[in-house]
Amino acid sequence: MSNSDPWDDVSYVISSRYRVETLKRLAEGPATPSLIADETGLSIAHVSRALQELKEGDLVTLLVSEDRRKGRVYGITDPGQEVWNTIEAENML
């Protein structure tokens, strides 16, 4: 996704409140899915799906090895940070 128009990425994120909340939390620093769920009040299932979608879009990345099942820590990528900055700057929340 991120090799396309950045506005496509912005639109993609803001079309799901789960993606918005997940990206917002990761903009503050790396976190596990359960921590994101606890801090945002979202279900772990919604957080996991949002993380997968954001990861496919190169907006977040897994900071530990793929084969870890527990303690999977995610972080925001540079394109993800740019998308988040745009969402905030344009008051799109």
Side-chain angles (χ1 to χ4, degrees):
M1 242 183 9
S2 292
N3 53 7
S4 59
D5 184 333
W7 284 104
D8 288 344
D9 290 345
V10 168
S11 169
Y12 179 71
V13 171
I14 64 174
S15 67
S16 160
R17 80 180 183 94
Y18 305 117
R19 288 192 290 260
V20 169
E21 290 296 321
T22 301
L23 195 64
K24 177 181 182 180
R25 172 55 190 81
L26 289 176
E28 298 167 12
T32 61
S34 57
L35 185 62
I36 296 168
D38 288 347
E39 292 185 4
T40 61
L42 301 174
S43 76
I44 190 79
H46 283 127
V47 169
S48 294
R49 183 167 346 93
L51 283 167
Q52 195 56 45
E53 293 165 350
L54 292 166
K55 187 169 172 270
E56 287 167 8
D58 194 35
L59 302 178
V60 306
T61 188
L62 184 60
L63 299 175
V64 297
S65 76
E66 277 291 341
D67 52 16
R68 281 200 65 136
R69 284 283 148 255
K70 286 213 164 296
R72 290 166 73 95
V73 178
Y74 288 83
I76 196 166
T77 61
D78 289 342
Q81 188 66 57
E82 285 176 39
V83 166
W84 182 249
N85 292 346
T86 301
I87 290 169
E88 281 203 308
E90 302 295 336
N91 292 315
M92 300 179 90
L93 297 176

